[in-house]
Amino acid sequence: MNEAETRAEHIDPALASAGWGQVEGSRILREHNITAGRLQGAGKRARADIADYVLVYRNTQLAVVEAKKSRLSVQAGMQQAINYAELLGVPFSFASNGEGFVFRDATLATGVLEQNLTLDQFPSPQELWARYCKWKGWTPEVQS
């Protein structure tokens, strides 16, 4: 299965099932430009950095999800997702080959958590929002 098929048949349904794009205030930005691409001279730019998905809740970017074709490991897109998350200043990164997800949470005071998730374990907008608010020192109910 190529990357587009992996996204359409596995990742998109997993995100929808978790509530992304379904829960009020949640959005999925697909093929989201992270950078415009480095200037190379003569008005030309290098290839832009484009995240497969950026997850938004309450007008706040929370996570980056990178998809890879099914013949690659579930971990294959993780470094790319981490790089994009760092560029955007978001703490959550995910990678998937359609068989499951690798989840990285950089909000913990004790260090970074990285764990494998099944497709049906993808966190909801409210779950990631609660983790994000805790990281920021916010009360989730008060923020909008």
Side-chain angles (χ1 to χ4, degrees), residues 28-30 44 60 65 68 70-71 91-92 111 114 118 122:
I28 302 170
L29 306 178
R30 291 176 175 83
K44 295 184 180 182
T60 303
V65 181
K68 295 298 176 196
S70 62
R71 70 177 174 85
F92 308 114
E114 191 166 299
T118 62
F122 198 91

Side-chain angles (χ1 to χ4, degrees), residues 1-14 30-31 52-53 67-71 96-99 119:
M1 204 178 290
N2 67 31
E3 184 176 312
E5 292 167 331
T6 297
R7 290 171 61 182
E9 294 181 28
H10 297 288
I11 299 172
D12 287 350
R30 291 176 175 83
E31 299 290 322
D52 291 325
Y53 303 88
K68 295 298 176 196
K69 56 184 123 186
S70 62
R71 70 177 174 85
S96 181
N97 64 354
E99 293 176 14
L119 290 173

Side-chain angles (χ1 to χ4, degrees), residues 15 18-30 32 34 51 53-65 88 90-92 94 122-129 132 144:
L15 295 177
W20 291 97
Q22 314 295 314
V23 171
E24 185 177 341
S26 71
R27 292 186 341 185
I28 302 170
L29 306 178
R30 291 176 175 83
H32 183 71
I34 305 295
Y53 303 88
V54 174
L55 304 180
V56 178
Y57 186 59
R58 295 187 171 194
N59 296 317
T60 303
Q61 294 178 348
L62 296 178
V64 171
V65 181
L88 290 173
V90 302
F92 308 114
F94 296 87
F122 198 91
S124 70
Q126 299 93 329
E127 289 174 270
L128 285 188
W129 180 248
Y132 183 84
S144 58

Side-chain angles (χ1 to χ4, degrees), residues 48-135:
D49 291 322
I50 301 171
D52 291 325
Y53 303 88
V54 174
L55 304 180
V56 178
Y57 186 59
R58 295 187 171 194
N59 296 317
T60 303
Q61 294 178 348
L62 296 178
V64 171
V65 181
E66 276 303 306
K68 295 298 176 196
K69 56 184 123 186
S70 62
R71 70 177 174 85
L72 297 176
S73 78
V74 70
Q75 182 77 32
M78 198 62 201
Q79 190 57 56
Q80 187 178 5
I82 292 167
N83 293 345
Y84 292 165
E86 288 174 353
L87 286 169
L88 290 173
V90 302
F92 308 114
S93 310
F94 296 87
S96 181
N97 64 354
E99 293 176 14
F101 291 96
V102 176
F103 169 46
R104 182 177 188 266
D105 180 348
T107 66
L108 306 174
T110 57
V112 174
L113 167 73
E114 191 166 299
Q115 67 186 97
N116 290 323
L117 305 174
T118 62
L119 290 173
D120 63 349
Q121 289 178 314
F122 198 91
S124 70
Q126 299 93 329
E127 289 174 270
L128 285 188
W129 180 248
R131 286 178 184 236
Y132 183 84
C133 288
K134 183 177 179 184
W135 178 56

